[in-house]
Amino acid sequence: MIGRRLPLRRAAVRFSALQRLFIVLAIFGPGVITGIVDDDATGIAGYSLAGAHYGYVLVWALIPVCIALIVAQEMGARMGVVTGKGLADLIRERFGVRITLLAMVTLLIANGATTIAEFAGVAAAADLFGVSRFILAPAAALVVFAVVSFGTYRKVELVLLAVSLVSLSYVITGFVAQPHWGQVAQGAFVPRVHLTLPFLTLLIGLIGTTITPWQQFYVQSAMVDKGLSERDLRRARADVAVGSTLTNVIAFFIIVTTAATLYVTGKPADTVTDIGQALEPLAGDFAARLFAIALLNASLMAMAILPLSTAYAICEAFGWERSVNRPVREAPIFFGLFGG
């Protein structure tokens, strides 16, 4: 009898551990997605230009930026999990309708401009692949709208998490570029600042493209839409910490890739299209293709998340129905804002 019970007990322990693993994986999502999407077309352009124009000099900036991003995202996750309300909802409760209206108009303009930049990212990827941008950009918009509008939050999240794995191709590209790792380490741990306008502008841009307003609105709303409660707070914090770290790891490898190729050889590059085209003769066709694929992937994810953050925030601010889990007919303003 004892011999029979032991295997059952071990099986129960293994099953319990497996259950815990699935619970942890089920919690992860909003923070990781927000982190990966942060490396969108504008982010890729900023990190690429940092490496192309200044080599490894700006790598050190990613460390304090990562810490600041974790702090900001953790606050958003905590407010969402504990209150069960999005950021716009809390702004309206605390500051009133007028301040909320001003905040929403500002967010709509900022997110709208950034969403246009994501379409530009798709167009740049189309150029790198030799495909018409007038075909790929509208097709991408239709696919993104269909995935979000006709799925549940969990299904959309799973799609975005799966697609986000493509962003890890920047890590591969970084090693393919064969950087001088000693110089990389020096750039990471020996801060250097050039007191010139172009350098300071790029440094400010690097910070601004990593810590953005839409992230705070989206991560808090997504925590609410996912239905997380206070008992999930520890895992929610881990989610945003992992996502924020991934943001800066990918940024690190983008800077390293362009520093090891464009900066070392003195190749001029002012756009992501220039960078993608310049990588091929320097790092090989494989690296150039990976760069283009990751750019397209990042733009597609951001095309989904930025309009979602806008729709979440505005609908929260004015008390309209909002949730990816709702059918389009039950939340017409939410999906109308997203589609628009």
Side-chain angles (χ1 to χ4, degrees):
M1 291 295 292
I2 295 174
R4 290 179 183 176
R5 286 175 183 172
L6 286 175
L8 289 173
R9 189 174 297 172
R10 292 195 192 100
V13 171
R14 285 197 297 270
F15 182 69
S16 178
L18 191 62
Q19 278 185 317
R20 286 197 295 270
L21 176 61
F22 278 117
I23 290 171
V24 171
L25 290 176
I27 297 299
F28 275 72
V32 170
I33 290 171
T34 304
I36 294 293
V37 172
D38 195 26
D39 293 314
D40 60 354
T42 56
I44 292 168
Y47 303 136
S48 299
L49 291 173
H53 288 269
Y54 293 100
Y56 309 112
V57 172
L58 277 164
V59 172
W60 66 268
L62 295 177
I63 297 174
V65 165
C66 182
I67 295 170
L69 183 60
I70 291 173
V71 171
Q73 291 285 281
E74 189 277 337
M75 285 192 290
R78 178 156 37 92
M79 286 191 292
V81 169
V82 172
T83 67
K85 298 177 180 179
L87 182 56
D89 211 344
L90 297 181
I91 290 173
R92 187 189 70 246
E93 287 185 5
R94 177 65 181 83
F95 298 104
V97 175
R98 290 183 180 179
I99 296 297
T100 303
L101 179 61
L102 177 62
M104 293 305 101
V105 170
T106 305
L107 183 71
L108 182 63
I109 294 171
N111 281 8
T114 310
T115 302
I116 291 171
E118 309 312 334
F119 276 89
V122 173
D127 293 342
L128 292 173
F129 284 119
V131 179
S132 172
R133 59 173 58 191
F134 299 105
I135 295 175
L136 188 59
L142 290 174
V143 169
V144 168
F145 182 78
V147 168
V148 174
S149 300
F150 300 107
T152 62
Y153 177 84
R154 185 58 181 159
K155 290 179 181 178
V156 172
E157 182 181 82
L158 287 173
V159 169
L160 292 173
L161 284 172
V163 171
S164 68
L165 295 175
V166 178
S167 298
L168 297 178
S169 59
Y170 282 121
V171 178
I172 300 171
T173 306
F175 284 102
V176 170
Q178 298 181 339
H180 190 293
W181 291 109
Q183 293 178 3
V184 174
Q186 185 179 20
F189 300 109
V190 182
R192 285 180 289 170
V193 177
H194 299 168
L195 297 178
T196 62
L197 183 59
F199 182 90
L200 295 176
T201 301
L202 197 52
L203 175 59
I204 293 169
L206 188 147
I207 297 169
T209 196
T210 308
I211 304 174
T212 58
W214 72 261
Q215 293 174 313
Q216 302 308 116
F217 284 95
Y218 177 78
V219 76
Q220 188 165 333
S221 297
M223 293 287 178
V224 175
D225 207 3
K226 191 167 182 176
L228 301 186
S229 63
E230 286 190 54
R231 67 176 180 274
D232 303 315
L233 183 56
R234 183 178 298 178
R235 297 187 183 103
R237 283 172 165 164
D239 182 22
V240 296
V242 170
S244 299
T245 303
L246 282 173
T247 298
N248 288 276
V249 167
I250 293 169
F252 167 82
F253 279 100
I254 294 173
I255 293 175
V256 165
T257 299
T258 53
T261 52
L262 305 182
Y263 179 75
V264 169
T265 57
K267 292 281 186 180
D270 294 313
T271 66
V272 287
T273 304
D274 293 341
I275 290 163
Q277 291 172 343
L279 278 176
E280 186 171 351
L282 298 174
D285 181 66
F286 178 66
R289 289 290 174 182
L290 279 180
F291 184 88
I293 290 169
L295 173 62
L296 177 61
N297 172 76
S299 300
L300 287 173
M301 288 190 67
M303 282 169 63
I305 298 303
L306 265 79
L308 264 182
S309 73
T310 307
Y312 272 131
I314 293 176
C315 289
E316 285 167 6
F318 300 107
W320 296 321
E321 188 62 61
R322 72 277 182 185
S323 177
V324 177
N325 291 316
R326 298 286 186 185
V328 174
R329 64 179 180 277
E330 291 183 12
I333 298 177
F334 175 79
F335 287 106
L337 284 167
F338 174 73

